[in-house]
Amino acid sequence: MSWFPQRRQRTWLQKGCEAILTVGPVPKHVAIIMDGNRRFAVKKSLAKCEGHLKGFDKLAETLEWCLDLGISEVTVYAFSIENFKRSSDEVSYLMELSRQKFAKLLQERDLIHKHGVCVRIIGDISLLPRDLQELLAEAVSISSENKRAILNVCFAYTARDDICMAMRELAIAVKEGQIKNSDISEELLEKCLYTSHSSPVDLLIRTSGETRLSDFLLWESSFSCLAFVKVLWPEFSIWHLYAAILHYQRNYNKIQIARQNQTIERERLQRDSDYHCMMEELSLETASRDSISCMTAPSPLSITTEHKSMQERVQQYAREREKRTEAFLSCVYERRKQFMKSLLPVRPIMSAKPTAVLTC
Amino acid sequence: MKTLLLRLIHYLISLGEFLRYLILFMPMQTISFSKKSVTYKIQSDSKSLKKLPTHVGFVVVEDEFSFRDLANLIVWSVSLGISYITIYDINGEIKRNSLVLQRNIESSREEIMSQEKTNYDIQIVSSSHPVSCQSSSGSCKAQRVKVHLLCVEDSHSKIISVAQHLCHLVSTGAYQVDDITPSNVDTFLQESLQFPDPDLCIKFGSVDCLFGYLPWQIRLTEFISLPSHKGVTYKSFLSTLVQFGNTNQRFGK
């Protein structure tokens, strides 16, 4: 089945529900754990592979529903690093399925551009077979300019691995002196994660009735609405999606308040840290100077000017810190981009195909 | 018009939820059983459970707190044999009132565990109170249980402290970059927080969000929701443990 299935006419009831739902807040970013493909296969006495295939078809369908509702970013958990532990038959089948599906996606590039879908891969794809890596990289590169909707596919991903990768980036930069150890903050680590270019996850859906996160977006989903749906993934319907959005709307206000408080708190911590770092620098400076000049009682005037200059110094320090971290982040992003580029197959331009002279 | 309809739908859902709560939970609260039967039940219940969590987390996402009910939850968990307990609320309201909680635990354990022979040493730990308050029953053979009170400051920022520590180690050459692996980071975090990953997390309140509860540690945690911690009964607490006992984790396989 194609990534962009033939549009099915929707019933007046669905249209009505959609119109009513979209009056309220609609999540911008939905993350989905597509669980229950194998159990579905067992239930319907199909082969395991059939279950996975049905799961993919459901994904294509769900993406269409999301686009219609105005959900502009969808993240799906396609393959976890832990899934490599499954039987080698199943793993190789899943790899083959992904190969076929991404090859299909590359064939459908006109449709990708028509729908304006940008595909991103989240995870350590160097763990995958080389040919699959190349396919993924090509899918990312041809769609990178699209803006209307974003599909993040988590492939060879676990959240803990993602956090560790970010820590490694930071550790290298600290070692090389690109950033200071004190520059490491929640915000900076977040910007080193694979999901750094995504908007915050608003709604996380897990099907099949399991109520775990299973190492999926642990950091990012702290302030997301969680929806655990009972049905198996291939049985997921548009009504379950509507119900999940209703659930999101019921929780919307409280989560929004918590998020705002969180941002305020982060800013406060950052200011504190800037102040302390600046004071440390200052004390180092004065320690070298103090050995010469003796202390004199400061006049009230000098206190106010000193206070003012303190504020300026903190701001100065913050500006320098921002400059440092920005340079560091652009390095990290550039390196990741280059890695993806290095995977692209070296191939002559498509139009330069050999002409069909031979057949004549 | 549409806005009104949507609002109507939301009101209807709220009404439905409220009625469900009334029907399912209110009857339990009216039934009060004698103290003796409770102790007896806890002992036999802990044997009948399929599996018992080592670490249970209580996440309270409500605006008002009932320390008496939290104390009951702690004492029930301890009597069942759970060794680690964390209590989380985003703003740290429970953490600030650890002494109130302490007093409530004293009275609650007197009520619930009075007939029991075994002694438990319930220790309250929170980062704002470095000196932990103890509720010990005097005997040195007592089994020690730690109750950690957490708030949002103990979640993401703990990962950052570990990141800073690791970066420092790498820059001094004491550690290799490739050694930053999930298992090593996990060891560092467990050392600093002094508890294993929670197996079960019971969330109290109507909002389905974790509000920053231990982002690193909840990898395999089962989440179970209860509508409120106020007036929570032993029966509904036990039902979450039974539900936990029936889950089957595949660990990616």
Side-chain angles (χ1 to χ4, degrees):
Chain A
M1 194 168 140
S2 141
W3 282 75
F4 302 96
Q6 202 81 63
R7 285 189 145 264
R8 242 167 280 165
Q9 199 55 48
R10 70 194 40 184
T11 60
W12 61 270
L13 192 59
Q14 286 172 352
K15 274 184 199 155
C17 286
E18 199 179 292
I20 293 169
L21 264 183
T22 45
V23 178
V26 173
K28 287 197 187 66
H29 184 174
V30 175
I32 307 173
I33 304 180
M34 308 177 288
D35 194 13
N37 290 337
R38 287 182 298 175
R39 269 167 282 173
F40 177 77
V42 171
K43 193 172 148 189
K44 299 271 158 159
S45 48
L46 301 165
K48 266 185 196 172
C49 323
E50 282 290 304
H52 288 303
L53 205 60
K54 284 271 186 321
F56 172 80
D57 294 348
K58 183 55 72 179
L59 170 64
E61 223 177 318
T62 310
L63 292 179
E64 194 197 321
W65 299 334
C66 287
L67 266 182
D68 286 339
L69 278 165
I71 297 168
S72 54
E73 188 164 2
V74 177
T75 303
V76 293
Y77 204 2
F79 195 82
S80 150
I81 295 177
E82 303 287 318
N83 291 151
F84 281 115
K85 287 192 218 153
R86 291 184 181 178
S87 71
S88 61
D89 278 358
E90 197 185 345
V91 171
S92 57
Y93 174 75
L94 282 170
M95 292 298 150
E96 187 50 41
L97 181 68
S98 317
R99 249 177 231 127
Q100 280 174 17
K101 291 304 171 188
F102 275 93
K104 180 92 187 164
L105 183 70
L106 291 175
Q107 281 171 18
E108 293 180 316
R109 59 182 76 203
D110 297 339
L111 282 170
I112 299 181
H113 294 312
K114 193 183 141 210
H115 286 83
V117 178
C118 166
V119 179
R120 290 180 191 151
I121 305 294
I122 288 179
D124 185 6
I125 60 167
S126 61
L127 297 170
L128 300 170
R130 174 76 190 192
D131 60 328
L132 185 56
Q133 288 183 36
E134 285 170 7
L135 279 173
L136 296 177
E138 202 177 351
V140 170
S141 96
I142 59 163
S143 66
S144 62
E145 295 301 314
N146 293 332
K147 291 281 182 301
R148 198 174 139 234
I150 299 163
L151 170 66
N152 299 309
V153 183
C154 294
F155 223 117
Y157 170 87
T158 64
R160 285 190 173 184
D161 182 66
D162 191 5
I163 296 172
C164 286
M165 284 295 185
M167 284 185 184
R168 286 184 194 181
E169 300 279 10
L170 292 167
I172 294 168
V174 170
K175 193 174 185 183
E176 287 173 355
Q178 200 173 13
I179 54 169
K180 291 184 180 181
N181 206 2
S182 59
D183 294 344
I184 299 171
S185 63
E186 288 177 33
E187 207 189 339
L188 190 63
L189 187 116
E190 210 164 76
K191 284 183 177 162
C192 295
L193 295 176
Y194 292 122
T195 48
S196 54
H197 298 289
S198 300
S199 55
V201 179
D202 296 312
L203 174 64
L204 191 145
I205 299 174
R206 177 166 192 162
T207 54
S208 89
E210 301 291 353
T211 55
R212 296 185 291 277
L213 292 180
S214 299
D215 223 336
F216 180 58
L217 301 178
L218 297 179
W219 179 286
E220 296 87 342
S221 65
S222 284
F223 291 91
S224 319
C225 174
L226 305 179
F228 296 111
V229 185
K230 286 256 160 61
V231 290
L232 302 173
W233 173 245
E235 294 168 334
F236 188 77
S237 75
I238 197 164
W239 300 105
H240 295 110
L241 184 66
Y242 288 160
I245 290 170
L246 271 177
H247 183 68
Y248 168 77
Q249 291 177 343
R250 282 161 53 76
N251 293 328
Y252 179 75
N253 285 333
K254 288 223 167 127
I255 294 176
Q256 228 47 33
I257 291 168
R259 276 188 185 177
Q260 278 163 14
N261 289 341
Q262 171 81 345
T263 352
I264 294 168
E265 179 64 16
R266 274 188 185 184
E267 279 165 12
R268 189 187 66 79
L269 283 174
Q270 188 65 67
R271 273 200 305 277
D272 273 9
S273 133
D274 283 346
Y275 178 75
H276 283 295
C277 294
M278 194 276 299
M279 287 303 274
E280 236 167 64
E281 274 185 7
L282 205 64
S283 68
L284 280 176
E285 264 175 44
T286 47
S288 55
R289 244 188 302 156
D290 266 2
S291 51
I292 315 158
S293 63
C294 55
M295 290 292 283
T296 49
S299 68
L301 186 75
S302 78
I303 286 177
T304 51
T305 51
E306 198 167 82
H307 181 71
K308 200 182 160 196
S309 76
M310 280 288 227
Q311 245 180 4
E312 273 169 14
R313 272 166 187 272
V314 174
Q315 279 167 5
Q316 169 82 21
Y317 182 87
R319 274 196 298 275
E320 280 167 13
R321 174 184 50 79
E322 270 162 30
K323 221 190 238 170
R324 272 200 302 273
T325 53
E326 258 164 45
F328 156 68
L329 285 173
S330 61
C331 262
V332 171
Y333 298 155
E334 187 55 36
R335 204 164 46 231
R336 289 188 184 165
K337 222 185 238 174
Q338 286 305 325
F339 172 68
M340 280 306 222
K341 239 182 206 169
S342 72
L343 289 173
L344 289 181
V346 196
R347 177 193 303 167
I349 309 157
M350 292 293 270
S351 57
K353 269 184 195 164
T355 41
V357 188
L358 284 173
T359 50
C360 297
Chain B
M1 172 63 188
K2 281 179 201 161
T3 332
L4 276 177
L5 262 173
L6 183 66
R7 212 172 280 167
L8 185 71
I9 292 173
H10 279 291
Y11 282 138
L12 281 176
I13 296 175
S14 303
L15 185 71
E17 289 277 304
F18 178 68
L19 286 176
R20 206 174 71 112
Y21 174 68
L22 270 189
I23 293 161
L24 287 178
F25 291 94
M26 284 316 245
M28 284 190 203
Q29 295 192 0
T30 50
I31 304 164
S32 57
F33 24 69
S34 73
K35 293 169 204 167
K36 199 175 175 180
S37 68
V38 174
T39 351
Y40 175 65
K41 265 172 99 180
I42 293 177
Q43 291 288 313
S44 62
D45 284 339
S46 80
K47 278 173 200 127
S48 67
L49 286 172
K50 275 189 199 159
K51 60 178 174 186
L52 197 65
T54 325
H55 174 178
V56 63
F58 298 110
V59 175
V60 185
V61 289
E62 290 169 278
D63 297 326
E64 284 165 35
F65 301 95
S66 153
F67 288 94
R68 188 55 212 257
D69 289 309
L70 288 175
N72 282 343
L73 283 167
I74 293 170
V75 175
W76 290 330
S77 314
V78 170
S79 329
L80 280 169
I82 294 165
S83 357
Y84 295 90
I85 299 164
T86 48
I87 302 186
Y88 181 90
D89 78 294
I90 181 169
N91 297 317
E93 196 70 30
I94 299 171
K95 215 170 161 175
R96 273 193 289 281
N97 293 302
S98 62
L99 289 174
V100 183
L101 184 64
Q102 181 70 30
R103 270 202 303 279
N104 278 292
I105 290 177
E106 300 285 355
S107 53
S108 174
R109 63 186 278 157
E110 256 165 48
E111 206 171 283
I112 296 171
M113 298 210 279
S114 52
Q115 284 95 1
E116 268 189 76
K117 299 265 182 332
T118 44
N119 284 315
Y120 294 97
D121 195 5
I122 302 177
Q123 202 176 5
I124 293 188
V125 190
S126 72
S127 58
S128 56
H129 285 268
V131 187
S132 55
C133 8
Q134 283 198 15
S135 152
S136 108
S137 36
S139 94
C140 49
K141 272 182 265 171
Q143 191 182 337
R144 181 162 291 179
V145 179
K146 280 186 178 167
V147 179
H148 293 262
L149 307 183
L150 304 173
C151 71
V152 76
E153 287 161 22
D154 303 299
S155 42
H156 292 81
S157 49
K158 277 284 179 314
I159 301 179
I160 296 300
S161 330
V162 169
Q164 284 180 338
H165 181 61
L166 282 169
C167 289
H168 176 73
L169 287 179
V170 168
S171 66
T172 55
Y175 221 70
Q176 294 295 314
V177 174
D178 291 332
D179 288 337
I180 305 181
T181 56
S183 60
N184 286 338
V185 174
D186 200 43
T187 319
F188 275 106
L189 269 168
Q190 288 205 14
E191 260 169 39
S192 89
L193 287 166
Q194 297 287 319
F195 52 73
D197 294 350
D199 310 285
L200 169 67
C201 168
I202 302 177
K203 184 189 68 65
F204 298 102
S206 57
V207 186
D208 262 334
C209 176
L210 294 172
F211 293 105
Y213 175 70
L214 300 176
W216 176 271
Q217 289 88 341
I218 51 167
R219 179 170 73 122
L220 297 170
T221 307
E222 292 285 339
F223 297 104
I224 296 174
S225 289
L226 286 178
S228 172
H229 74 289
K230 273 172 270 174
V232 67
T233 58
Y234 174 68
K235 206 173 159 195
S236 48
F237 170 66
L238 190 71
S239 73
T240 61
L241 289 175
V242 172
Q243 199 182 330
F244 170 77
N246 289 332
T247 54
N248 169 33
Q249 297 206 338
R250 299 175 306 272
F251 307 105
K253 282 183 192 166

